[in-house]
Structure formats: structure tokens, C-alpha cells
Amino acid sequence: MGEVGKAKIAAINAVGEDEIFDRMSRGETVSKIIGEFNVGWKLWNKWLDAERGRKDRYRAAQEAAGHFFASRAVDTAQNADPATVNVSRLQVDTDKWIASKLNQQYDVRQKDIAINISVNDLHAQAAQLLGDVDDIEDAEIVEEEGE
């Protein structure tokens, strides 16, 4: 990392991760924060990786931000004015989407489950079952003849 990158990371460190993560949890976007420090995503990720446990604290801040955006969506919907209902709907949809990306608790998409069924396997299982039935029937016939 060059001197410019080190200076930018030093500026982030001067503010401190607690302040930065608190701002995130109150709904400030990472894009806005890194824009303030004039850093890109690559340098931001280097800063996150620079200290042990920072990435976990970052994820916790993201989850808290998800709660913020979900709460704001509810407030916007409940306080919608009939004259601006379409704008309010767009704001609610946007906040719901952001909340779902930051916190899995708000991800309401249907989870698809992939199930693969092999017809050959079904045929093999059916043949085995039929073979078992034939064996049982043969055993019953032998048993009846023996009586």
C-alpha cells in the first residue's frame, strides 16, 4: 500500500471504528462514509481486514442498520400522506430492500429448494420393491404347500 493509502487509512483510524460503525447503524451508508474519506472499496476492505474482529463488528453494524431501515420503512408507511402516497411507497420499498440486504431477518424472499429426482433411480427402487414382493409371495406359496 502506498503512502496515500496509508494516510487515508490513518484518517479513518483517527475517527475510529466505533464512530464509523455507530454512524452505519444509524442508517448512514458505507458509500457515503468511504466517500467522505475519499477511499474506494478495495482500501475500505483492507481497513476492515487490518484489525482482528473488525469485520465481525462491521457485520454487527450492518445488522443494526438493517433494523434502522426496517423501522424507517414502518414509520414512512404509517405516516404516509394521501398526496404523496406513491413517493412514500417507493421510500418504503427501498428501505425494505436495504434492510433485507443488511439483515437476513428482513429477507422475505421465498427460499427455493432444489430437488433432483432420477427416473432411473425410481425404476431401480420400484424393481427392488417388486422383487421383494415376489419373494414374499413365493415364500407364502412354499409355506402353504408345506402345510
Side-chain angles (χ1 to χ4, degrees):
M1 177 180 346
E3 292 302 316
V4 174
K6 289 178 183 177
K8 290 178 180 183
I9 285 185
I12 297 172
N13 285 330
V15 172
E17 75 176 52
D18 289 339
E19 172 64 25
I20 291 170
F21 293 159
D22 185 54
R23 288 168 55 185
M24 284 177 55
S25 66
R26 289 184 277 123
E28 198 167 333
T29 65
V30 176
S31 296
K32 182 177 178 184
I33 292 169
I34 67 174
E36 178 183 312
F37 292 106
N38 195 27
V39 299
W41 288 101
K42 188 175 179 180
L43 195 57
W44 171 256
N45 283 307
K46 283 185 180 187
W47 177 77
L48 288 175
D49 292 335
E51 187 176 316
R52 183 182 172 123
R54 184 179 281 163
K55 228 172 195 156
D56 292 332
R57 293 185 293 277
Y58 170 68
R59 287 187 192 102
Q62 286 180 309
E63 287 184 10
H67 294 305
F68 168 84
F69 284 104
S71 176
R72 190 167 78 175
V74 170
D75 290 343
T76 302
Q78 290 178 340
N79 297 317
D81 183 275
T84 60
V85 72
N86 288 332
V87 172
S88 295
R89 183 176 292 128
L90 179 61
Q91 290 170 333
V92 167
D93 287 345
T94 302
D95 282 348
K96 283 174 27 182
W97 179 80
I98 294 170
S100 74
K101 296 301 176 191
L102 296 174
N103 190 322
Q104 292 299 309
Q105 177 180 345
Y106 300 109
D107 189 358
V108 294
R109 294 176 295 168
Q110 181 178 350
K111 306 291 190 262
D112 291 334
I113 299 172
I115 299 174
N116 294 324
I117 298 175
S118 168
V119 174
N120 290 335
D121 289 344
L122 291 176
H123 284 223
Q125 288 174 355
Q128 183 180 5
L129 288 173
L130 289 174
D132 291 346
V133 169
D134 288 342
D135 290 345
I136 292 170
E137 289 175 352
D138 290 344
E140 288 175 352
I141 291 171
V142 169
E143 197 174 287
E144 287 176 7
E145 290 175 357
E147 291 177 1

